[in-house]
Amino acid sequence: MVLGEDRDNYFVSRSIYSEQSFAEENERNEKVSQNLRHRLLTHCSCSARKALAIMKSIFPILDWLPRYRVKEWLLGDVISGISTGLVATLQGLAFALLTEVPVAYGLYSAFFPILPYFLLGTSKHLAVGPFPITSLMIGSLVISMTPDDKFLISSNMTESNATHLDIAAREAERITIATTVTVLVGIFQLGLGILQVGFIVRYLSVPLVGGFTTAAAFHVFVSQLKIVLNVPTSSHSGVFSIVYTVIDIFTNIRKTNIADLIAGLLTFVVCITVKEINTRFKDKIKVPIPIEVIVTIVATGISYGVNFEKKYNAGIIKQIPTGFLAPVAPNVSLFAQTAGSAFSIAIVGYAVAVSVAKVFATKHGYSIDGNQEFVALGVCNIFGGCFLCFVAGTALSRTAVQESTGGKTQIAGILTAVIVMIAILIVGKLLESLQKSVLAAIVIANLKGMFWQLFDIPVLWRQNKIDCLIWLVTWVASVFLGLDIGLLVGVIFELLTVVLRTQFPVYAVLGNVPNTNIYRNIKTYKNIVEPAGVKIFRFSSPVYFGSVDYFRNKLIVGFNPVRVFNKRAKALKKIQKLIKKGQLKTTKNGVLADGSSANEAYEPDEESSEETEDDNIPTKELEVQVDYNSELPVKVTVPQITIHSLILDFSRVSFIDIVGVRIVKMVIRQFERIGIKVYITEYEDHILKKMETCGFFDDNVKIDMFYLTIHDAVLYIHTQNLFKDLKDPILEKISLMEETNEPLAVTDLETNVEILEDQNQVNGFTVRLKPRWVLLWSAQLSSLLDNNTPLNQSHVKVGK
């Protein structure tokens, strides 16, 4: 490569590379395949260093704890742990309402999962605990499996057949279902982590997660709205459950408890306002104001002092047991019934947790192991489920508090667990008079970020309409069909868009930017020029069973090669019949119509000429040369062909299957039988290897049709055409010399060679004749001319 005087320009001088010529000059690296025994020895060998590395990968605490900087990190972790502990305590109480279990179990869910994550987690900032979306998903499942009708019992106190709801039995059953599902979620997550399939979360794209979480926010809002209003509603689950709940709320809106409504509204306004202050002045406020804690303390004191329950019939927590309950084994018989929902919850919980962990890992310059996170969350949920917890994940607000208050490691997580433990053992009893509407308002206030995702819709529509459709379809399906079905619909629709985009991809006809080796879409730029007689087609998709028909149908060359071949065969057949009948004559230069004989097959045209030109279309019966681009003396319209070469740009073909190989080979044969050469360029090595494996090459389809770049193929085609144009005058002179016995001057040949070299200065590349070609011509001709030997065509050879 040579830089020009202008440093923005450069000039390249090299050979034209086909796959064959490139392979001759550049040796490939041979991949040595290892046998099973060698692989087992490599992966199953053991050493002290390898054993330590495996232990550190399973228990990341062994890696970071010995390197803990006490003086630099401890103070930040202590402040962070206390702040996060207060937030986690209140969120545990609030999110328990979403799970449809007593609030005390929210405290357990905020405590137990932290312990195994301290040992197994790879994130330094993730605050493990209840997550509103997974809590709501479990709550929907719990409601669907424990409807109120199932717990109605008859009353023996009156003579009538009155019934009442057995709340204690219903709560016990709901706790059993919630904890069993939590264990099953953990089993799924642990199994996926052991199988190293953390990549599965990649199928949950950002638009899909955005639509899903926004829909979940709507479900959470509706479920908490009925608590803020304290109106009686029926338990609904499944398809259109949110619609039925809203109908129930507005049907009973007159029964709203004013004390709960006012407490909820005040809590919501205060929390939103202070959270906005924390966000706007985060640079000045080193520790965010724990407004949830302050509001909870104030609301509890007011409720206790005024006695809202007795005076205004307000809904309060009533009872929070002190201390821990004994661990309980899950009800294995429920596994089959809840497996589908548990798998959805496992994926959603993991996806959100890993997404949040990656945000803070990127911010602080460390990495997390997705598969190890699967294992860590799985163990957290199995362990927590046995101690009466519901599914643990993370909440962005809680993790943000842990990070923003100076947390550096999971030491802050352990201190968070200590604060929650104090609440379970000591403080819990003091919160029994707290109104549920206050907790519900805290939950709704924390949904602000999820609702704000609605403003992503116009941005997505401008940036990528397909991503916007994924967002909308997921949101609509999750809102109206339920979160589990909505997630499934979203994933299916997302994968469908990928399939359709590969099945019906973008394609283009390319042209050359003058004086460069750059080729672009001719419809996009004004100064693009198509090489004369050459069509360049780019297909931007894998060539597989789903896209081959589209590839074949959209191969834009201006004509259908099958139709052209059939029309030519039909015309040639009629011409042969007319020749046999004597109505047409053949000459040295082509087919001549005999005007003295009647030609019933001839289509009269006053301006047409009776003489046709020749083209190479051999037949078994008669050797006839016909120019199909001229007017034919038969009633057959043959499409005219303006190209002689077709280049297929495979630069965007990521893979090809056996169906694609067969279709490409069929397309090549269709074009080559009507005289159009096909070349394949810009392909990946694995594409060529797959073609070889699938039997692409034979006597007619050879590897010399593959060229490294489009420009290589164009230059080769151009050079071949120049050789063809040069050969005819030389042979004509040789033929004339044989008739006249006059010698042919070697200078004439050299002049033609120089003309050819001058003409080959095209498109920014220098293309020169191989020296052996010039030497071959000059040496042979000089020798023959010196000996006065008569020349014929066999004496002239043109090298490949």
Side-chain angles (χ1 to χ4, degrees):
M1 182 178 72
V2 180
L3 289 174
E5 296 179 359
D6 184 355
R7 289 187 176 274
D8 292 335
N9 298 325
Y10 66 91
F11 305 94
V12 177
S13 177
R14 66 169 176 83
S15 302
I16 297 175
Y17 280 128
S18 65
E19 175 64 28
Q20 200 169 11
S21 61
F22 185 80
E24 291 174 356
E25 296 184 13
N26 299 273
E27 185 178 357
R28 290 182 180 273
N29 287 325
E30 295 295 334
K31 185 177 179 180
V32 180
S33 59
Q34 298 179 348
N35 55 33
L36 180 60
R37 180 175 177 274
H38 189 273
R39 291 179 182 177
L40 290 175
L41 288 175
T42 302
H43 294 286
C44 298
S45 61
C46 187
S47 63
R49 180 178 296 180
K50 193 169 184 179
L52 181 61
I54 292 174
M55 289 298 295
K56 286 183 177 181
S57 66
I58 298 175
F59 299 100
I61 189 175
L62 298 177
D63 183 42
W64 63 264
L65 188 58
R67 296 184 287 106
Y68 187 81
R69 303 174 188 174
V70 177
K71 294 182 180 179
E72 297 179 27
W73 295 348
L74 183 59
L75 180 61
D77 281 340
V78 170
I79 296 174
S80 175
I82 295 172
S83 303
T84 309
L86 296 175
V87 174
T89 300
L90 295 178
Q91 287 187 348
L93 294 171
F95 296 159
L97 300 177
L98 298 174
T99 316
E100 302 293 335
V101 297
V103 293
Y105 295 89
L107 293 177
Y108 303 149
S109 302
F111 172 75
F112 284 104
I114 295 175
L115 305 180
Y117 191 84
F118 176 73
L119 303 173
L120 302 171
T122 59
S123 173
K124 299 177 182 179
H125 299 92
L126 196 68
V128 180
F131 177 51
I133 294 179
T134 54
S135 299
L136 181 65
M137 294 177 74
I138 290 182
S140 300
L141 179 62
V142 166
I143 291 175
S144 66
M145 297 179 65
T146 58
D148 292 344
D149 297 340
K150 187 177 177 181
F151 299 95
L152 294 176
I153 58 176
S154 59
S155 176
N156 297 324
M157 301 298 293
T158 62
E159 295 179 358
S160 60
N161 293 326
T163 59
H164 70 276
L165 183 63
D166 188 349
I167 297 177
R170 187 188 65 177
E171 285 188 352
E173 182 68 16
R174 288 182 173 181
I175 292 169
T176 300
I177 294 173
T179 56
T180 299
V181 171
T182 299
V183 172
L184 185 56
V185 166
I187 292 172
F188 279 129
Q189 291 177 333
L190 180 60
L192 292 172
I194 293 174
L195 295 175
Q196 302 286 294
V197 290
F199 65 86
I200 195 172
V201 75
R202 296 173 188 169
Y203 292 102
L204 303 181
S205 65
V206 172
L208 186 145
V209 172
F212 178 78
T213 52
T214 306
F218 276 85
H219 280 277
V220 172
F221 174 78
V222 171
S223 69
Q224 299 306 292
L225 180 62
K226 65 182 181 182
I227 298 176
V228 171
L229 300 176
N230 195 7
V231 294
T233 58
S234 301
S235 298
H236 300 287
S237 62
V239 178
F240 298 115
S241 61
I242 190 172
V243 177
Y244 299 139
T245 303
V246 170
I247 292 173
D248 283 352
I249 290 174
F250 283 98
T251 301
N252 299 310
I253 195 72
R254 294 178 181 273
K255 300 179 182 180
T256 300
N257 187 294
I258 302 300
D260 284 332
L261 176 60
I262 293 175
L265 288 177
L266 287 175
T267 301
F268 175 78
V269 171
V270 171
C271 286
I272 287 293
T273 303
V274 176
K275 282 178 177 292
E276 188 66 24
I277 294 173
N278 285 337
T279 302
R280 293 198 175 188
F281 299 98
K282 60 183 179 181
D283 295 333
K284 297 181 179 180
I285 303 175
K286 300 301 180 181
V287 178
I289 301 172
I291 188 60
E292 291 96 341
V293 177
I294 297 172
V295 166
T296 301
I297 295 173
V298 173
T300 303
I302 294 174
S303 176
Y304 178 79
V306 179
N307 200 355
F308 278 149
E309 183 189 12
K310 287 186 177 180
K311 288 187 177 182
Y312 303 104
N313 197 28
I316 63 173
I317 294 177
K318 290 186 178 179
Q319 185 177 4
I320 299 179
T322 302
F324 297 100
L325 301 179
V328 178
N331 187 351
V332 180
S333 63
L334 295 174
F335 279 2
Q337 189 176 354
T338 60
S341 297
F343 185 79
S344 300
I345 295 170
I347 297 300
V348 171
Y350 169 78
V352 174
V354 169
S355 299
V356 172
K358 284 183 177 180
V359 169
F360 292 102
T362 302
K363 181 178 179 180
H364 291 275
Y366 65 92
S367 61
I368 65 169
D369 185 347
N371 292 313
Q372 180 62 23
E373 287 297 300
F374 244 144
V375 172
L377 290 174
V379 174
C380 288
N381 285 315
I382 294 173
F383 179 74
C386 294
F387 282 90
L388 303 176
C389 302
F390 50 86
V391 173
T394 190
L396 178 59
S397 59
R398 189 168 62 247
T399 302
V401 169
Q402 180 166 320
E403 186 268 342
S404 61
T405 52
K408 300 295 183 182
T409 66
Q410 283 299 324
I411 294 291
I414 285 295
L415 294 175
T416 297
V418 171
I419 299 298
V420 177
M421 183 179 66
I422 294 173
I424 294 172
L425 298 176
I426 302 173
V427 183
K429 274 287 182 182
L430 302 177
L431 298 175
E432 290 182 348
S433 59
L434 177 65
Q435 291 172 269
K436 290 183 179 180
S437 62
V438 173
L439 293 176
I442 291 174
V443 172
I444 294 174
N446 280 284
L447 298 176
K448 175 189 171 185
M450 295 184 186
F451 280 122
W452 239 241
Q453 293 177 128
L454 288 169
F455 295 103
D456 293 342
I457 296 176
V459 177
L460 280 174
W461 184 258
R462 289 193 300 268
Q463 294 177 346
N464 191 316
K465 291 180 174 56
I466 294 178
D467 285 341
C468 186
L469 286 176
I470 293 172
W471 198 104
L472 291 172
V473 168
T474 306
W475 179 80
V476 171
S478 299
V479 166
F480 295 104
L481 303 181
L483 293 179
D484 48 354
I485 299 177
L487 179 63
L488 179 62
V489 171
V491 171
I492 291 174
F493 181 78
E494 178 187 48
L495 295 178
L496 183 62
T497 62
V498 175
V499 172
L500 291 178
R501 277 184 280 184
T502 59
Q503 189 172 356
F504 306 103
V506 176
Y507 58 90
V509 174
L510 307 183
N512 178 248
V513 178
N515 299 318
T516 71
N517 64 336
I518 299 172
Y519 293 82
R520 290 293 183 267
N521 190 341
I522 61 174
K523 293 183 179 180
T524 306
Y525 299 94
K526 294 181 179 180
N527 63 329
I528 299 297
V529 178
E530 287 191 81
V534 180
K535 189 70 70 173
I536 307 170
F537 179 77
R538 171 182 288 164
F539 192 71
S540 302
S541 169
V543 182
Y544 70 109
F545 64 90
S547 64
V548 288
D549 289 336
Y550 193 75
F551 168 78
R552 182 171 52 186
N553 295 334
K554 296 301 179 180
L555 193 54
I556 302 174
V557 292
F559 56 86
N560 185 334
V562 177
R563 183 172 179 269
V564 170
F565 179 79
N566 292 336
K567 289 288 186 179
R568 284 186 177 185
K570 185 176 180 180
L572 187 59
K573 195 172 183 180
K574 288 190 175 185
I575 289 172
Q576 289 174 339
K577 289 181 180 180
L578 294 176
I579 291 174
K580 287 183 178 180
K581 294 178 180 179
Q583 296 173 352
L584 288 177
K585 294 181 180 180
T586 58
T587 65
K588 179 180 180 181
N589 295 325
V591 177
L592 180 65
D594 185 0
S596 60
S597 60
N599 180 12
E600 297 179 356
Y602 183 72
E603 185 174 5
D605 189 347
E606 294 178 357
E607 298 179 359
S608 64
S609 173
E610 294 182 350
E611 190 173 18
T612 60
E613 297 178 358
D614 59 344
D615 190 15
N616 294 324
I617 301 293
T619 67
K620 295 181 179 179
E621 299 178 2
L622 293 171
E623 293 292 338
V624 180
Q625 291 183 329
V626 181
D627 182 4
Y628 291 99
N629 288 332
S630 65
E631 187 176 355
L632 301 178
V634 291
K635 289 183 178 180
V636 179
T637 303
V638 179
Q640 295 189 357
I641 296 177
T642 58
I643 64 172
H644 52 72
S645 301
L646 171 64
I647 298 176
L648 301 178
D649 176 14
F650 272 22
S651 59
R652 299 181 183 179
V653 176
S654 57
F655 70 87
I656 187 170
D657 66 358
I658 187 169
V659 178
V661 171
R662 290 174 180 174
I663 294 299
V664 171
K665 187 172 184 178
M666 183 185 71
V667 167
I668 292 172
R669 287 178 174 174
Q670 289 173 352
F671 278 100
E672 293 202 342
R673 68 183 180 180
I674 60 173
I676 297 176
K677 291 286 293 181
V678 181
Y679 303 88
I680 298 177
T681 65
E682 307 278 0
Y683 49 88
E684 294 290 341
D685 288 341
H686 69 88
I687 299 289
L688 183 62
K689 186 175 181 180
K690 176 62 69 175
M691 288 182 160
E692 291 176 354
T693 305
C694 295
F696 180 77
F697 300 105
D698 54 24
D699 293 338
N700 297 320
V701 180
K702 299 181 180 179
I703 199 170
D704 58 6
M705 65 184 295
F706 285 78
Y707 281 80
L708 265 62
T709 67
I710 298 175
H711 205 55
D712 283 310
V714 170
L715 292 179
Y716 173 79
I717 294 167
H718 180 72
T719 305
Q720 291 298 105
N721 289 337
L722 289 177
F723 275 128
K724 181 179 180 182
D725 296 339
L726 179 62
K727 184 174 67 173
D728 290 343
I730 294 176
L731 295 179
E732 187 175 340
K733 289 184 179 182
I734 293 173
S735 178
L736 180 64
M737 184 188 69
E738 286 184 313
E739 295 177 0
T740 60
N741 291 325
E742 294 181 0
L744 176 66
V746 178
T747 54
D748 292 340
L749 178 62
E750 293 174 348
T751 300
N752 285 325
V753 171
E754 292 174 359
I755 292 172
L756 177 61
E757 289 188 350
D758 292 339
Q759 290 177 343
N760 260 328
Q761 307 286 337
V762 292
N763 295 336
F765 266 54
T766 301
V767 183
R768 292 187 171 86
L769 292 175
K770 296 285 186 178
R772 59 177 178 272
W773 291 343
V774 179
L775 293 174
L776 178 64
W777 289 0
S778 59
Q780 283 190 334
L781 292 177
S782 298
S783 174
L784 294 173
L785 292 174
D786 290 342
N787 298 329
N788 294 323
T789 304
L791 291 178
N792 54 52
Q793 186 171 347
S794 63
H795 288 128
V796 180
K797 299 179 181 178
V798 180
K800 293 183 180 180

